[in-house]
Amino acid sequence: MGKPQPIEYADASPEVKAVFDDIKTSRNVPDVNNFWKYLANDPTTLKRTWESVKEVMAPGALDPLVKELIYVAVSVTNNCGYCIASHTASAEKAGMTEAQFGELMAVVGMANETNRLVNGYRVPIDPAYEK
Amino acid sequence: MGKPQPIEYADASPEVKAVFDDIKTSRNVPDVNNFWKYLANDPTTLKRTWESVKEVMAPGALDPLVKELIYVAVSVTNNCGYCIASHTASAEKAGMTEAQFGELMAVVGMANETNRLVNGYRVPIDPAYEK
Amino acid sequence: MGKPQPIEYADASPEVKAVFDDIKTSRNVPDVNNFWKYLANDPTTLKRTWESVKEVMAPGALDPLVKELIYVAVSVTNNCGYCIASHTASAEKAGMTEAQFGELMAVVGMANETNRLVNGYRVPIDPAYEK
Amino acid sequence: MGKPQPIEYADASPEVKAVFDDIKTSRNVPDVNNFWKYLANDPTTLKRTWESVKEVMAPGALDPLVKELIYVAVSVTNNCGYCIASHTASAEKAGMTEAQFGELMAVVGMANETNRLVNGYRVPIDPAYEK
Amino acid sequence: MGKPQPIEYADASPEVKAVFDDIKTSRNVPDVNNFWKYLANDPTTLKRTWESVKEVMAPGALDPLVKELIYVAVSVTNNCGYCIASHTASAEKAGMTEAQFGELMAVVGMANETNRLVNGYRVPIDPAYEK
Amino acid sequence: MGKPQPIEYADASPEVKAVFDDIKTSRNVPDVNNFWKYLANDPTTLKRTWESVKEVMAPGALDPLVKELIYVAVSVTNNCGYCIASHTASAEKAGMTEAQFGELMAVVGMANETNRLVNGYRVPIDPAYEK
């Protein structure tokens, strides 16, 4: 198989095209981004992932901007370059300001720091948090 | 030194007491939680961390609830049990509902999954995200 | 020292050449890949790592393809770009089909997702798993 | 909400009961394990996760044992204690021998080591792996 | 906002210039490195991070070289390419030899391996380590 | 196989006993710690890991205390509770003071924070670090 290659709409099977069409309609974009073109190598994973993302990222008890901020926080913690770039763009589209991005980074950095201080000092959970 | 031990208020040095007092006043709590009692073994780190946390978690462009959700997202990704327990409690105090917690978990789970799909398929960043 | 540089066969010390020769013979390849050329900067680590890899990746209770799939699973989870590329190639050489790669990615993604759901919901281990 | 609590079958809503029933039937077990009881706090995530797991872990191009080995490899890399315990049990149920478990651990350990050697030596990807 | 961009000294606000000046004086360098130019997008985070780094990395009970080695160990474990490059350079400036770099990599690799062996074998903490 | 169990000296095979004896002699301890008792389930991994650890942790260009500090730094970053406990003990045995432990934690925390700031701001490597 070699290095994974993107599958463009014109070369896609009908089942892949159906997912691409749904993404384009749902997001009102002319083409899907690379993530979906690569996932299209496995139509089952493409379909399941898209349906899951659509369900998880829909407006609900948390609004779309907050969900995108959470997505960026995870991606920055895991150092997924593509995910940071794409979800920062989605967050902006959902209304993220530069000041909000700055605070997001500050919280993510601080949480990653204090997570390790907790580990190293072997801090036991306060009984109040166990209720 | 052996296993790190917590430092209680009564046994604390004046500089540690000053930080504990500020935490108790700022948060309106009768005692500080274990994290601070363990950090008190290093008064310099205690002071710097508290001042940083106070600055970073203050209401700003993002409100306190959103900041706590981001903190939980990072802690869940890193599997820091103490941090998950304490910041879930802080998020609830800041107003998090059970439905919001459920959606937070769903987004964190999904982001951790898609981060790896991106890695494995070696998805290159779309030019649009590089601007 | 500056940025680490690869050590080519022609410039290698006799002890490094001996390891390179063993890799080339064992794998029946005309040259070693970059990983070994960089490790050659520390001949002790080069020798120990090669001997360990040779022992660990040899056919045993698990066949070579399964071992390569596991290697890719770890590398994708850690986002090691080089390791993903080189061990995906090794897995293909060991017989991995495109369908198997797709399922590997699906399992790796799912495991990374459910690992975090477990963390966030603080799921205690069922007694049955402790036996 | 406090610390997440498990939802037992008797206390579950009809939609949760339906998922629990499907898990019990599919796996031929008298009760679901803790993971599902905690996820049941969010019926949407419970349903989506179960359907995804069922699809991803089904026999396909990779057999169920190999899929469980991959799941354990990811969980060990991420240090998810619950996931290690539950998927080691699943792997055994799927036929994993003690010798296979030993080799699995050896490969996971080695991959985590070499991933970092690659990072630290900044090894560039060989052109052959980019095709 | 688009992709984050560096802020050069000439375009910086007075508060950013003050931090840049302090970095240049403290380190005796003609210009700050990219990390600070990007952080300058959020002057609050820039100032807090610089003051924290200055405090944490100052000579103390551990000398500056040891602190840089620890920084590299963390960065390699997390696979932060920029951090590996910049702190390897700092370590060299603080006196790291090629042999020391080789041993650093060997320890980091080994620790990442044994961390996972511990996870997978679910090794309980010896009572002696709990005192 | 069930949950991994420790293998005590009295129940060990001759090849495992030989490794246990070498650990006890090398470290001048009356018994090996749990890590080795669990690894003993796979004598090949036990032997390889012990020989690798002995080689990597021996005094060299870095002294044993520095190597233990690096081991703790990695273990804290990965949140391996057993490894944090055992290598903090080893570091103390090698002479670590409480002040050094405090600074170690401070550097580890800071590195984990700045690693994520770098990721989130997508900081490109300065040309000077590429030489």
Side-chain angles (χ1 to χ4, degrees):
Chain A
M1 46 173 276
K3 190 178 175 180
Q5 299 299 330
I7 292 179
E8 299 293 337
Y9 190 88
D11 308 316
S13 66
E15 63 187 314
V16 166
K17 269 189 176 138
V19 177
F20 280 11
D21 283 336
D22 192 33
I23 296 172
K24 294 197 283 184
T25 305
S26 301
R27 299 188 161 175
N28 194 23
V29 287
D31 194 10
V32 303
N33 50 305
N34 281 340
F35 178 60
W36 306 109
K37 292 180 183 176
Y38 278 75
L39 274 198
N41 286 286
D42 182 347
T44 308
T45 293
L46 173 72
K47 191 172 190 303
R48 186 186 62 253
T49 305
W50 166 241
E51 282 171 3
S52 294
V53 164
K54 201 165 49 164
E55 181 176 295
V56 168
M57 300 304 283
L62 297 176
D63 65 57
L65 171 56
V66 171
K67 291 187 172 185
E68 289 295 346
L69 296 176
I70 294 166
Y71 225 113
V72 173
V74 170
S75 304
V76 166
T77 298
N78 287 331
N79 194 14
C80 176
Y82 181 86
C83 317
I84 294 166
S86 63
H87 285 278
T88 301
S90 303
E92 282 192 72
K93 217 170 154 181
M96 182 180 70
T97 65
E98 202 166 329
Q100 288 175 323
F101 175 76
E103 295 192 9
L104 169 63
M105 289 302 104
V107 177
V108 169
M110 187 59 46
N112 272 290
E113 180 176 29
T114 58
N115 279 196
R116 271 60 181 216
L117 292 172
V118 161
N119 294 347
Y121 280 98
R122 302 186 239 170
V123 185
I125 299 184
D126 301 75
Y129 301 146
E130 296 282 24
K131 281 170 197 165
Chain B
M1 46 174 274
K3 191 178 174 180
Q5 299 299 329
I7 291 180
E8 298 294 338
Y9 189 87
D11 308 317
S13 67
E15 63 188 314
V16 165
K17 269 188 176 139
V19 176
F20 281 11
D21 283 336
D22 192 33
I23 297 173
K24 294 197 283 185
T25 305
S26 301
R27 297 187 164 177
N28 194 24
V29 288
D31 195 9
V32 303
N33 51 306
N34 281 340
F35 177 59
W36 306 109
K37 292 180 184 177
Y38 278 76
L39 274 199
N41 286 285
D42 183 346
T44 308
T45 294
L46 174 71
K47 192 174 191 304
R48 185 184 65 253
T49 305
W50 166 241
E51 283 171 3
S52 295
V53 165
K54 201 165 47 164
E55 182 176 296
V56 168
M57 300 304 283
L62 297 176
D63 65 57
L65 172 56
V66 172
K67 290 186 172 184
E68 289 295 346
L69 297 175
I70 294 165
Y71 225 112
V72 173
V74 170
S75 304
V76 166
T77 299
N78 288 330
N79 193 14
C80 175
Y82 181 87
C83 316
I84 294 166
S86 63
H87 284 279
T88 301
S90 302
E92 281 192 74
K93 217 170 154 180
M96 182 180 69
T97 64
E98 202 166 329
Q100 288 175 325
F101 175 76
E103 295 192 9
L104 169 62
M105 289 304 104
V107 176
V108 169
M110 188 57 46
N112 272 288
E113 180 176 29
T114 57
N115 279 196
R116 271 58 181 217
L117 292 173
V118 160
N119 295 346
Y121 281 98
R122 303 187 239 170
V123 185
I125 300 184
D126 300 75
Y129 300 146
E130 296 282 25
K131 281 171 196 164
Chain C
M1 45 174 275
K3 190 178 175 180
Q5 298 299 329
I7 291 181
E8 298 294 338
Y9 189 87
D11 308 317
S13 67
E15 63 187 316
V16 166
K17 269 187 176 139
V19 177
F20 281 12
D21 283 336
D22 191 35
I23 298 173
K24 293 197 284 185
T25 305
S26 302
R27 298 189 162 173
N28 193 23
V29 288
D31 195 10
V32 303
N33 51 305
N34 281 340
F35 178 59
W36 306 109
K37 293 180 184 178
Y38 278 75
L39 273 199
N41 285 285
D42 182 346
T44 308
T45 294
L46 172 71
K47 191 172 190 305
R48 186 186 62 253
T49 305
W50 166 241
E51 283 171 2
S52 295
V53 165
K54 202 166 45 165
E55 182 176 296
V56 168
M57 300 304 282
L62 297 176
D63 65 57
L65 171 57
V66 171
K67 290 188 173 184
E68 289 296 346
L69 296 175
I70 294 165
Y71 225 112
V72 173
V74 170
S75 303
V76 166
T77 299
N78 288 331
N79 193 13
C80 175
Y82 181 86
C83 317
I84 294 166
S86 62
H87 284 278
T88 301
S90 303
E92 281 192 72
K93 218 170 151 181
M96 181 179 71
T97 63
E98 202 165 329
Q100 289 176 323
F101 176 76
E103 294 191 11
L104 169 63
M105 289 303 104
V107 177
V108 169
M110 188 58 48
N112 271 289
E113 180 176 29
T114 59
N115 279 197
R116 272 58 181 217
L117 292 173
V118 161
N119 295 346
Y121 280 98
R122 302 185 239 170
V123 184
I125 299 184
D126 301 75
Y129 300 146
E130 296 283 22
K131 281 171 197 163
Chain D
M1 46 174 274
K3 190 178 173 180
Q5 298 299 330
I7 291 179
E8 299 294 338
Y9 189 87
D11 308 316
S13 67
E15 63 187 315
V16 166
K17 269 188 175 137
V19 176
F20 281 10
D21 284 336
D22 191 33
I23 297 173
K24 293 198 283 185
T25 305
S26 302
R27 298 188 163 175
N28 194 23
V29 288
D31 195 9
V32 303
N33 51 305
N34 281 340
F35 178 60
W36 307 109
K37 292 181 184 176
Y38 278 75
L39 273 199
N41 286 286
D42 182 346
T44 309
T45 293
L46 174 70
K47 192 173 191 304
R48 186 185 63 251
T49 305
W50 166 242
E51 283 171 1
S52 294
V53 165
K54 201 165 47 164
E55 181 176 296
V56 168
M57 299 305 282
L62 297 176
D63 66 57
L65 172 56
V66 171
K67 290 186 172 184
E68 289 295 347
L69 296 176
I70 294 165
Y71 224 112
V72 174
V74 170
S75 303
V76 167
T77 298
N78 287 332
N79 194 14
C80 175
Y82 181 87
C83 316
I84 294 166
S86 62
H87 285 279
T88 301
S90 303
E92 282 192 73
K93 217 171 155 180
M96 181 179 69
T97 65
E98 204 166 327
Q100 288 175 324
F101 175 76
E103 295 192 10
L104 169 63
M105 288 304 104
V107 176
V108 169
M110 188 59 45
N112 271 289
E113 180 176 29
T114 57
N115 280 196
R116 272 57 182 217
L117 292 173
V118 160
N119 295 346
Y121 280 99
R122 302 185 238 169
V123 185
I125 300 184
D126 301 75
Y129 300 146
E130 297 282 24
K131 281 170 196 165
Chain E
M1 46 173 276
K3 190 179 174 178
Q5 298 299 329
I7 292 180
E8 299 294 338
Y9 189 87
D11 308 317
S13 67
E15 63 187 316
V16 166
K17 269 188 176 139
V19 176
F20 281 11
D21 283 336
D22 192 34
I23 297 172
K24 294 197 283 184
T25 305
S26 302
R27 300 188 162 175
N28 194 25
V29 288
D31 196 9
V32 303
N33 51 304
N34 281 341
F35 178 59
W36 306 109
K37 292 181 184 178
Y38 278 76
L39 275 199
N41 286 286
D42 182 346
T44 308
T45 293
L46 173 71
K47 192 172 189 307
R48 187 186 61 254
T49 305
W50 166 241
E51 282 170 1
S52 295
V53 165
K54 201 165 48 164
E55 182 175 293
V56 168
M57 299 304 282
L62 297 176
D63 65 57
L65 172 55
V66 172
K67 290 187 172 184
E68 289 295 346
L69 296 176
I70 294 165
Y71 226 113
V72 173
V74 170
S75 304
V76 166
T77 299
N78 287 331
N79 194 12
C80 174
Y82 181 86
C83 316
I84 293 166
S86 62
H87 284 279
T88 301
S90 303
E92 281 193 72
K93 217 171 153 181
M96 182 179 70
T97 64
E98 204 166 326
Q100 289 176 324
F101 176 75
E103 295 191 10
L104 170 62
M105 288 304 103
V107 177
V108 169
M110 188 58 47
N112 272 289
E113 180 177 29
T114 58
N115 279 195
R116 271 57 181 216
L117 292 173
V118 160
N119 294 347
Y121 280 98
R122 301 186 241 170
V123 184
I125 299 185
D126 300 75
Y129 301 146
E130 295 282 24
K131 283 171 196 164
Chain F
M1 46 174 275
K3 191 179 175 180
Q5 298 299 330
I7 291 180
E8 298 294 338
Y9 189 86
D11 308 318
S13 66
E15 62 187 316
V16 165
K17 269 188 177 138
V19 176
F20 280 11
D21 283 334
D22 191 35
I23 297 173
K24 294 198 283 186
T25 305
S26 302
R27 298 188 162 175
N28 194 23
V29 289
D31 194 11
V32 304
N33 51 305
N34 281 340
F35 177 59
W36 306 110
K37 293 181 183 175
Y38 278 75
L39 274 198
N41 286 285
D42 182 346
T44 309
T45 293
L46 173 70
K47 192 173 190 304
R48 186 185 63 251
T49 305
W50 166 242
E51 283 171 2
S52 294
V53 164
K54 201 165 47 164
E55 181 176 297
V56 167
M57 299 304 282
L62 297 176
D63 66 56
L65 172 55
V66 172
K67 290 187 171 182
E68 289 295 346
L69 296 176
I70 294 165
Y71 225 112
V72 173
V74 170
S75 303
V76 166
T77 298
N78 287 331
N79 194 14
C80 174
Y82 181 86
C83 316
I84 293 166
S86 62
H87 284 279
T88 301
S90 303
E92 281 192 74
K93 217 171 154 180
M96 182 179 70
T97 65
E98 203 166 327
Q100 288 175 324
F101 176 76
E103 295 191 10
L104 170 62
M105 290 302 104
V107 177
V108 169
M110 187 59 45
N112 272 289
E113 180 177 29
T114 57
N115 279 196
R116 272 57 182 216
L117 292 173
V118 160
N119 295 347
Y121 280 99
R122 300 186 239 170
V123 184
I125 299 184
D126 300 76
Y129 301 146
E130 295 282 25
K131 283 172 195 162

